[in-house]
Amino acid sequence: MTDAADKPLTLTIFGASGATGRAAIKAARRRNHKVRAVDHHLPEQSEDDPMITHVQADVLQDDLREHVRGADAVLSCVGVGNAPETLLDPPPLYTDGTDAICNAMEAEAVKRLIVISATFVETRNRGPIWFKLPAMTSLHLVFEQMKEMEHNLQRHKGLDWTAVRPGWLMEGPLTEDYVVQDDEIPKDLIRTRHADLGHFMVSLAESGEWVRQTPAIARDEPAHTTSPLAVLDEIMGG
């Protein structure tokens, strides 16, 4: 993307306080887009930016129509944490939450939706065995919920949705040199930066590419970020 968008957009971003949500907001503002940042809780401190409006809403309980009304695109960055009790019984954010967003968009005639899924919905055969066993076991229910979300999206014929499938997410500055391909990340890669994912989602809102598809995004990261210690520490919420 270039430094300024040809046509500034109004973007509604759900899950705005999460790592990918924050990255998407930064990417959107670099492109001069107006942002409605929607989350379960309002931030303690808001940015001094009149083009960002923070909104409190619960995607599982609230009427979301006013939050998507007039938006050019909606980005859903909602997600569950790594706490063991959450992973054992994850809230239906990807299924019921995404359905609620879709229903609100259809009611308001907003068509463009970009959501976060995972490459592991398509295949669990990524990374070395020490990664696959704990990661796939601990996140099995989350991946199953993402799979159901993708299936449910097919029912919303009036939406131009894209379900982005990153690898194992990590912190780090924006690079813009990530790899994007159909459905699965390359076999030799594991990781995707929140910053790159947020950047890619905003680019999809602008371009309209990958409609009703599941692009996978990842990057070749330094060895220490894919070490057993680094990844297992993140799996355990360290």
Side-chain angles (χ1 to χ4, degrees):
M1 294 191 294
T2 56
D3 291 338
D6 295 333
K7 176 183 177 295
L9 305 174
T10 295
L11 303 179
T12 295
I13 300 178
F14 288 95
S17 69
T20 303
R22 296 193 305 271
I25 291 172
K26 289 181 180 179
R29 290 303 299 126
R30 282 194 298 268
R31 299 284 287 163
N32 294 326
H33 300 316
K34 181 179 180 181
V35 174
R36 296 175 191 158
V38 185
D39 217 315
H40 191 70
H41 300 288
L42 292 174
E44 293 183 3
Q45 289 185 320
S46 298
E47 305 87 345
D48 185 19
D49 186 339
M51 299 300 285
I52 302 175
T53 301
H54 288 277
V55 179
Q56 183 174 2
D58 186 335
V59 297
L60 295 179
Q61 298 184 21
D62 295 336
D63 186 340
L64 306 178
R65 288 177 293 179
E66 66 177 302
H67 307 315
V68 304
R69 186 174 299 145
D72 295 294
V74 174
L75 281 60
S76 177
C77 301
V78 298
V80 300
N82 284 344
E85 60 272 20
T86 301
L87 297 180
L88 286 172
D89 186 21
L93 291 173
Y94 298 104
T95 49
D96 295 355
T98 302
D99 268 344
I101 293 171
C102 290
N103 292 337
M105 291 176 64
E106 289 172 328
E108 295 296 330
V110 177
K111 295 181 65 68
R112 187 65 171 123
L113 173 66
I114 301 103
V115 305
I116 299 174
S117 183
T119 195
F120 308 109
V121 168
E122 182 72 17
T123 177
R124 308 292 167 90
N125 187 27
R126 285 295 181 272
I129 190 68
W130 59 259
F131 169 78
K132 286 187 287 189
L133 285 178
M136 300 312 136
T137 300
S138 63
L139 290 172
H140 170 73
L141 294 178
V142 174
F143 295 147
E144 288 301 305
Q145 194 180 133
M146 289 177 167
K147 184 176 181 178
E148 184 179 349
M149 173 192 70
E150 290 188 5
H151 176 76
N152 292 344
L153 285 170
Q154 302 282 349
R155 301 200 311 260
H156 294 276
K157 303 299 185 183
L159 297 184
D160 294 334
W161 58 264
T162 302
V164 182
R165 291 175 169 178
W168 188 262
L169 289 166
M170 61 177 283
E171 298 292 341
L174 176 66
T175 71
E176 299 187 41
D177 68 351
Y178 45 82
V179 175
V180 179
Q181 62 182 39
D182 289 328
D183 302 329
E184 305 173 23
I185 60 175
K187 289 185 178 180
D188 58 338
L189 302 183
I190 298 176
R191 311 226 62 174
T192 305
R193 298 190 182 204
H194 291 285
D196 287 338
L197 177 56
H199 175 273
F200 180 55
M201 293 176 75
V202 171
S203 76
L204 290 173
E206 294 178 352
S207 69
E209 296 177 336
W210 295 95
V211 169
R212 303 186 75 82
Q213 297 182 75
T214 52
I217 171 176
R219 182 174 184 270
D220 186 9
E221 294 290 347
H224 72 272
T225 69
T226 57
S227 70
L229 180 61
V231 177
L232 291 176
D233 184 59
E234 292 170 25
I235 292 172
M236 299 304 295

